[in-house]
Amino acid sequence: MKHICPHCQKPGVSNAALRWASRESPAQCAACGGLSHVLASTSSAINTFTCLTLLVSVVLGLAFGSLLGATACLIAMVVGNVWMWRRCELFPIDPKTAQTANRVGWAVTISSMVSVLFL
C-alpha cells in the first residue's frame, strides 16, 4: 500500500516507510524524493493501542480460559492497527531539519549512555 506524499500529492510513500518515519529518519517519497514523517504522538498512540489490546487478549485468554475471546481481541488488534496506520497523516520535513533532528537524537542517546555509565 502506498500513502499520499504531502509534497507532490501522489501515492509514493510505502507502508513500511510510513511506520518507521520520524523526524530523525523521515520517509522518502518514491515519486518526488520529498521527505515526510508521522507525528511521534500519533505513532505512540497506535503502539499503545496495540500493546493494550494484546494485553487484554492475554488476560482474557488466561482468566476465562477462552480461546475465542483471546482470538477476537487479537483480530481487533490487527484490524485496529492496520486501520489507524492507513489514516495516519504525513507531515513534510526539509532535509536540513531531518539532519538536525538526527544529530540531536544521537547527542541525547550518547549523553544518556554516558550518564548511565558514570552514575
Side-chain angles (χ1 to χ4, degrees):
M1 178 173 167
K2 297 280 187 177
H3 296 273
I4 305 259
C5 173
H7 296 281
C8 65
Q9 299 300 315
K10 295 178 183 173
V13 179
S14 71
N15 200 27
L18 173 78
R19 287 178 186 255
W20 293 104
S22 66
R23 276 180 117 36
E24 294 85 16
S25 59
Q28 187 168 12
C29 176
C32 71
L35 300 176
S36 54
H37 68 100
V38 175
L39 292 180
S41 59
T42 303
S43 180
S44 296
I46 294 172
N47 292 335
T48 301
F49 164 81
T50 303
C51 290
L52 285 176
T53 311
L54 181 62
L55 181 67
V56 167
S57 68
V58 169
V59 168
L60 280 176
L62 292 175
F64 298 114
S66 170
L67 185 61
L68 183 63
T71 304
C73 285
L74 288 174
I75 291 170
M77 177 189 71
V78 170
V79 169
N81 189 295
V82 169
W83 178 76
M84 285 187 278
W85 276 113
R86 282 188 179 176
R87 294 185 49 86
C88 276
E89 186 176 351
L90 285 167
F91 292 91
I93 187 170
D94 61 301
K96 187 174 180 179
T97 304
Q99 289 174 347
T100 303
N102 195 4
R103 287 186 195 124
V104 168
W106 277 109
V108 168
T109 302
I110 290 169
S111 64
S112 299
M113 297 288 283
V114 168
S115 66
V116 165
L117 289 174
F118 293 110
L119 290 180

